[in-house]
Amino acid sequence: MTQATLGFGAMRLPQTDDNDPTSIDMEEFTRMVDYFMEQGFNYFDTSYAYHDETSEGALKKALVERYPRESYQIANKIPTWLLREEKDNDRLVDIMLERLGIEYFDVLLVHNINKALFPKAVNANSFEYVKKAKEEGKALKIGISFHEKEELLEEVFEKYGDAIDVALIQLNFMDWNDQRIQSKKIHDICVKYGVEVQVMEPVKGGTLVNVADNIKKQFEDYSDKSIVDWSLRFAASQENVTVVLSGMSNLEQMKENCETFKNFEKITPQDHKFLMKMAREIKKTFAIECSFCNYCIKDCEMNLPIPDFFNLYNSELLYHLPSNIDLYNTAANVYAPASACTECGTCVDICTQQLDIPELLKDVAKLFGR
């Protein structure tokens, strides 16, 4: 099996303002792109939606306008939630190509396939569209990004297998045996159908780095490798995996991740056993397993900073810091408190972790007393 490579996920780019996803720090991002390319990596993944629809334009400036087209690969995704009719596929893809300043995608995916959005893609004939896009040279490879349970993936492969070269799935040691995310089951189905696997959330949105001190101590006692290193190598060691995407936000993260893949060591059965033990330990400490993808924010009618609230909730349960309360109160005053949730349910349909967000926001409001 060919060794998996590192992919640069343009979902969590450096920002000059933490509260403004469109404030991409182009100077830092350009340095990261240059370092990534210098180290021999060239796979970039973006989306119509990332950074409030500014990720593609940033990638155009930092990469496309500065490097020859044949020197890099770009993956992009059709936003299923914006599909109303068949012609929307062409309209959205044309926008994506224009934003990036390219004539074709190396990989074109139908984005965020789950129970709520799969019917939209079916009704808009998106699978037929990407198949045609490949035939016409608009995409070299086609497929899906997937956020659902095994039954739906089987259905998608059975109905549209000829339109799927690649499946982008959430895979990390924390979710490997998780009954909600089902990383192992989803991965095994991809292998069964002979589909190329690309990995998102190998560090679960950074949450696997911010673990309790006793967990860190067990990793340190086991080896001198970082939790990030273990997370990336776990994902890259699985069958059929070709690319492991990392949403790197600064040059230091970039350097660490590149080092892991330049000196790649596949995990051993003993390592696997240790990581499964750590997953069980970590799971005990995380009340809310949010991956901070921020999809839920976009359509929230109350503009609630949901991932920030969940992060503060987890932190407060672990560490009981006065700063958690201060940060919550600040966010609640700037936006709205967790109790302002109207329970419209829009966030539930789009949540990649399949969380009952309205119910969890009630827990947040109760913990912080608002």
Side-chain angles (χ1 to χ4, degrees):
M1 182 181 74
T2 304
Q3 179 190 313
T5 191
L6 175 66
F8 191 166
M11 180 183 184
R12 299 182 176 93
L13 300 178
Q15 297 175 199
T16 56
D17 180 352
D18 289 342
N19 296 314
D20 180 7
T22 68
S23 67
I24 297 170
D25 185 338
M26 288 304 303
E27 186 175 342
E28 176 74 353
F29 180 37
T30 301
R31 280 197 294 265
M32 293 170 70
V33 167
D34 289 344
Y35 185 86
F36 191 68
M37 295 287 282
E38 288 166 5
Q39 299 304 305
F41 303 101
N42 71 350
Y43 193 93
F44 297 82
D45 174 275
T46 187
S47 156
Y48 182 99
Y50 295 167
H51 283 271
D52 282 359
E53 302 184 15
T54 61
S55 172
E56 294 158 315
L59 199 57
K60 177 182 178 181
K61 291 179 181 177
L63 176 71
V64 175
E65 293 179 350
R66 300 174 61 246
Y67 288 89
R69 181 65 181 93
E70 67 275 9
S71 67
Y72 57 83
Q73 300 178 71
I74 291 183
N76 208 341
K77 312 177 190 75
I78 299 173
T80 45
W81 54 93
L82 295 180
L83 295 170
R84 301 291 180 270
E85 52 188 334
E86 186 171 357
K87 65 181 182 181
D88 286 336
N89 293 295
D90 232 346
R91 178 179 62 82
L92 292 167
V93 164
D94 284 346
I95 292 172
M96 291 153 57
L97 288 168
E98 183 178 358
R99 286 176 178 175
L100 283 163
I102 58 178
E103 296 181 351
Y104 68 92
F105 304 107
D106 294 275
V107 178
L108 178 62
L109 305 177
V110 184
H111 201 174
N112 198 4
I113 294 298
N114 60 24
K115 286 182 180 178
L117 297 176
F118 178 51
K120 288 181 176 290
V122 172
N123 292 337
N125 290 325
S126 295
F127 294 96
E128 291 82 359
Y129 175 82
V130 294
K131 187 177 177 182
K132 184 180 178 183
K134 181 180 177 182
E135 292 170 354
E136 294 176 348
K138 272 190 176 181
L140 303 186
K141 289 183 180 180
I142 54 177
I144 58 173
S145 69
F146 187 79
H147 292 283
E148 196 42 91
K149 292 185 170 62
E150 58 178 321
E151 294 84 2
L152 181 62
L153 187 61
E154 286 270 11
E155 180 183 346
V156 174
F157 282 165
E158 283 296 322
K159 289 182 177 179
Y160 300 107
D162 61 345
I164 303 173
D165 304 316
V166 177
L168 177 60
I169 68 172
Q170 179 167 321
L171 193 159
N172 55 67
F173 70 84
M174 179 81 168
D175 294 326
W176 189 243
N177 291 315
D178 185 89
Q179 292 307 301
R180 187 175 67 249
I181 305 300
Q182 298 185 332
S183 283
K184 184 180 187 303
K185 290 181 179 179
I186 298 301
H187 166 265
D188 289 350
I189 291 171
C190 292
V191 172
K192 169 185 169 183
Y193 283 87
V195 172
E196 177 184 334
V197 175
Q198 295 189 0
V199 172
M200 57 181 150
E201 306 293 1
V203 195
K204 203 172 173 66
T207 56
L208 295 182
V209 180
N210 301 312
V211 296
D213 290 342
N214 67 309
I215 304 293
K216 292 179 182 177
K217 180 67 164 56
Q218 292 182 68
F219 272 98
E220 291 168 359
D221 290 344
Y222 186 77
S223 82
D224 59 358
K225 296 185 183 301
S226 69
I227 299 178
V228 171
D229 184 275
W230 279 114
S231 301
L232 295 174
R233 290 195 300 120
F234 177 85
S237 295
Q238 307 309 320
E239 189 176 359
N240 279 31
V241 171
T242 59
V243 177
V244 176
L245 298 177
S246 180
M248 298 166 278
S249 301
N250 57 58
L251 187 58
E252 288 308 307
Q253 292 176 359
M254 169 71 71
K255 289 180 178 179
E256 180 180 10
N257 291 359
C258 287
E259 195 64 27
T260 293
F261 280 85
K262 284 170 61 182
N263 300 284
F264 185 77
E265 297 177 27
K266 188 175 181 179
I267 65 165
T268 67
Q270 180 181 347
D271 295 336
H272 183 96
K273 184 177 180 180
F274 168 73
L275 291 172
M276 294 303 99
K277 175 177 179 288
M278 288 298 93
R280 293 190 293 272
E281 293 292 320
I282 294 170
K283 194 172 287 289
K284 295 175 186 176
T285 68
F286 284 162
I288 303 176
E289 294 182 41
C290 173
S291 69
F292 308 97
C293 68
N294 291 319
Y295 290 167
C296 57
I297 295 176
K298 193 171 183 64
D299 293 320
C300 177
E301 59 186 37
M302 298 305 297
N303 195 32
L304 294 175
I306 297 167
D308 290 343
F309 282 166
F310 288 170
N311 187 34
L312 289 168
Y313 182 85
N314 285 339
S315 180
E316 180 60 14
L317 290 181
L318 276 174
Y319 303 115
H320 307 295
L321 300 173
S323 59
N324 289 330
I325 297 173
D326 291 340
L327 288 168
Y328 173 80
N329 287 335
T330 298
N333 287 326
V334 171
Y335 301 99
S339 58
C341 173
T342 63
E343 301 186 50
C344 68
T346 303
C347 55
V348 176
D349 289 341
I350 205 167
C351 178
T352 61
Q353 306 305 298
Q354 301 174 48
L355 301 175
D356 187 343
I357 293 174
E359 286 300 313
L360 291 170
L361 284 172
K362 291 178 184 178
D363 294 337
V364 174
K366 184 177 179 180
L367 179 66
F368 289 106
R370 294 189 59 170

